[in-house]
Amino acid sequence: MRPVLYILCLLFSSVTLLAQQASDYFPNQTGFMWNYKATPLDSLNNPIDPLAFFRQDSFAVTANYEGKLANIVQTKSGPLQTILMLPYDDSIYFHFSGSDGYEYFQIGALEFFLLSLDSLGIDPTFSFVDFFRALENWYSVYRFASGVNQEYTLISIDTTISVYPLRFEYLGKRLDDETINTEIGNFDCKKFQTTWKVSYVFPPPIPAVELLSTNNTFWIAENNWVVLDIIPTNHIDLTLLGIEPFFIPGLKTEIIDDIVSVDEASKIPNAFTLYQNYPNPFNPTTSIQYSVSSTQFVSLKVYDLLGNEVVTLVNEERPAGEYNIEFATNYLNLTSGVYFYRLNAGSFVETRKMILLK
C-alpha cells in the first residue's frame, strides 16, 4: 500500500510543479518592449489603414500599486513619424497569482466618452464618470485555469439612471487556444475575451434584457504577453435613454517587429477614397482622412441634418496623395447630433455620417 501512496504523491507533485502559472506568460525581466500597430475598424469591421497608428509599451518596473505587487508597463501611442520621439504618457498594471492574471481597471481613454454621456444630461443626479471611476480596482481578468467557454463575472452592479433600472457587468471568458502568425513569429496562444454588458433589470421573475455589449479579445503568448488584441466595432442603441443609435469604431492591435519611420509622402493612392472619421462619436475634434489619386480641385464640406452647410474644410486644388483634416467644433457652437461630410474631387462624390456628442 505504501509504495502505491508514494507513487501517487510523486505524480501529484510532478503535476503541481508542471502546472503553468499566469506569470509564465509575462516577460520575466524589466526592459522588455512591445511594438504594436493599431488599425481602426469601420462600421463593417474593415481596417481603415490610412488611420493606423502605433503603440510602444515598455516593462518599466515591479512595484507595489494599490495593494498588490504590480508589473508596471509604460505605454505611448502616436503616428509613425513621431512615436519614437514621444514620451511615455500612461501606465498599465498587471499582477500574477497562481493561474490568475490580474489587471488594474482604470477608465483611462474611456473618460472622454463618459464625459460625453454626462454632457447629454440624461440624469443630472447620475455621473457616468463617477460611476466607472468607483469601479477602478484589481480584477482577475486572465484566468488560465478556467474551463474553455466558461464565463466568469468580474463586476456586476445594479443602478438606476433616470427611471431605468440597469445592470452593468464586466465578464471574462477563456476561449479555445489558438496558434496565430505574427510579424515576430508563430505563437501558440491562450485566448481570452472580456465583455462589458448593460441590461435592463425587470422585477423577478422576469430575466434582465441585454441592451448592449462590447467585446475585447486577446491572444496571449508565453513570455510575450499580448500579441494580438481585437475590439470589434460596436453598434450602440441607447434609444431607451433618449440617445440616437451610433457606432464606436473598432480597433485591431497587432504586435510588430519594430517601429521604423518612413516617408509616407511618397505613397500615391490608386483611387479616390473618403474614410470614416475617427473618433466617432467625437467631441470636440475628429480626423477626416481622404485620398486623391490625381491632381483635382477638392471640396470637403460639413452639413447638418437638414442639409445646411456648417463649414468648408477644403476648397482648393490638391495633388495626388493622402490627406488628413482635423474638424474642430470649439468655435462653431454646434449642438449634439448627426452631421454629414461630403468630398467632391472631379467626378468623385461621397458622403459619410458622423456624430457629435457634447
Side-chain angles (χ1 to χ4, degrees), residues 151-203:
E151 195 170 66
Y152 43 88
T153 300
L154 301 166
I155 297 173
S156 181
I157 186 168
D158 292 353
T159 189
T160 299
I161 301 177
S162 186
V163 296
Y164 306 108
L166 302 177
R167 175 170 299 148
F168 289 81
E169 295 175 283
Y170 184 34
L171 310 169
K173 182 192 298 184
R174 187 169 79 84
L175 305 177
D176 286 321
D177 295 353
E178 189 173 343
T179 300
I180 64 168
N181 176 262
T182 76
E183 192 175 300
I184 63 172
N186 297 328
F187 294 97
D188 296 325
C189 295
K190 297 295 181 183
K191 186 177 178 182
F192 291 89
Q193 183 181 84
T194 58
T195 301
W196 276 102
K197 183 188 296 185
V198 181
S199 304
Y200 188 92
V201 182
F202 289 96

Side-chain angles (χ1 to χ4, degrees), residues 59-164:
F59 181 14
V61 67
T62 299
N64 288 316
Y65 183 78
E66 296 295 336
K68 291 187 183 297
L69 184 63
N71 295 311
I72 303 175
V73 175
Q74 294 182 319
T75 182
K76 60 180 177 178
S77 300
L80 181 61
Q81 291 84 353
T82 60
I83 178 72
L84 298 178
M85 297 179 287
L86 296 174
Y88 291 102
D89 57 6
D90 204 355
S91 296
I92 311 170
Y93 305 90
F94 300 103
H95 168 78
F96 301 99
S97 178
S99 61
D100 288 346
Y102 290 76
E103 184 171 353
Y104 192 84
F105 168 70
Q106 47 193 341
I107 62 173
L110 281 175
E111 186 169 4
F112 167 77
F113 177 65
L114 298 174
L115 285 169
S116 298
L117 289 178
D118 283 339
S119 69
L120 295 176
I122 300 169
D123 182 349
T125 66
F126 183 87
S127 167
F128 284 93
V129 172
D130 292 343
F131 176 79
F132 278 92
R133 186 165 283 141
L135 300 179
E136 293 186 331
N137 208 338
W138 287 103
Y139 297 101
S140 54
V141 177
Y142 313 99
R143 301 183 183 181
F144 288 85
S146 175
V148 173
N149 292 320
Q150 292 183 2
E151 195 170 66
Y152 43 88
T153 300
L154 301 166
I155 297 173
S156 181
I157 186 168
D158 292 353
T159 189
T160 299
I161 301 177
S162 186
V163 296
Y164 306 108

